[in-house]
């Protein structure tokens, strides 16, 4: 169980990640705002408490790995890594600009702390599974985490990996589905519904849970349960696309937005005025 103090610390970390992500995107005037905002609490729990990583040694052999399969959420991941000390926060100002080490989608060849290059949706779960199998063969006891989008789960390859890791349990693999109910061009249910995703994954032989993806305690407890399961584990996160960014949250087409500087300034002001609870 998280202590009250730790819970507060993780919530504060989440707020800082959200703020830095908004400033980072604000510098650019456009970007993947919706799907970045929905995974902030997850990133805060992973990097604030759960994952064994060393910012000074990002390739540490026995580290825990994170494959951000929905690689367009790079801005939120970069803000997290910068706050954690993997690189200088100044670098956040270069997001998606020519010659940057922070491309719009995650790239392991550019950014310290990024474990896998992603962006072509549907592939990350297979990569995470491969890494988990490799680690198990090497008798390491680290964990491999992966973050998938709900829209991404429309990709066939996702289900090949779910099938395989159901039949060949990888207890060091924990997959999150960011179920924000929206994809690029609208609501997932209207486009190609994935139905009850938690049950579907369970039917493939996984230990499958569903929690509030903006509640740090629920996320943490679910991860602890997943870590002690003998099966491959999935945690479906009930989230809100654009969460915490006033001009994006609740908007249908908030996947990739162009906005005015004043809009982001105002959204940052709103965020800063919010209480920490
Ligand atoms: C194979 C592939 N097809 C299409 C795209 C374009 N694309 C980028 S993000 C996106 C929507 C993803 O929706 P979801 O997985 O729900 O992500 P989130 O809502 O969390 O941002 C699409 C279609 C892509 N990156 N890769």
């Amino acid at each position: 169980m998280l202590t009250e103090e730790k819970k507060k610390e993780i919530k504060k970390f989440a707020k800082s990640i959200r703020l830095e992500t908004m400033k980072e995107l604000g510098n650019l005037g456009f970007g993947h705002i919706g799907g970045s905002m929905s995974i902030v609490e997850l990133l805060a729990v992973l990097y604030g408490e759960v994952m064994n990583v060393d910012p000074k040694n990002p390739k540490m052999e026995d580290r825990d790995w994170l494959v951000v399969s929905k690689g367009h959420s790079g801005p939120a991941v970069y803000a997290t890594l910068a706050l954690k000390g993997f690189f200088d926060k100044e670098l956040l100002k270069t997001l998606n600009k020519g010659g940057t080490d922070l491309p719009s989608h995650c790239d392991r060849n550019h950014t310290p702390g990024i474990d896998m290059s992603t962006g072509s949706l549907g592939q990350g779960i297979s990569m995470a599974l491969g890494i988990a199998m490799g680690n198990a063969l090497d008798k390491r006891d680290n964990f491999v985490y992966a973050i998938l989008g709900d829209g991404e789960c429309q990709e066939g390859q996702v289900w090949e990996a779910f099938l395989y890791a159901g039949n060949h349990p990888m207890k060091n693999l924990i997959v999150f589905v960011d179920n924000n109910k929206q994809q690029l061009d609208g609501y997932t249910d209207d486009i190609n519904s994935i139905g009850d995703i938690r049950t579907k994954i369970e039917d493939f032989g996984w230990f499958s849970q569903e929690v509030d993806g903006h509640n740090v305690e629920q996320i943490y407890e679910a991860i602890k349960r997943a870590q002690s399961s003998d099966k491959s584990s999935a945690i479906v996160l009930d989230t809100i696309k654009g969460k915490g960014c006033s001009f994006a949250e609740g908007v249908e087409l908030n996947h990739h937005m162009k906005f005015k500087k004043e809009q982001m300034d105002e959204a940052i002001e709103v965020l800063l005025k919010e209480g920490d609870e």
Side-chain angles (χ1 to χ4, degrees), residues 236-250:
V236 179
L237 301 169
D238 182 12
T239 55
I240 298 168
K241 194 157 176 166
K243 171 80 176 170
C245 179
S246 55
F247 66 84
E249 185 175 332

Side-chain angles (χ1 to χ4, degrees), residues 117-132:
S117 302
T118 48
S120 183
L121 295 169
Q123 302 178 8
I125 183 173
S126 306
M127 298 193 275
L129 172 56
I131 298 162

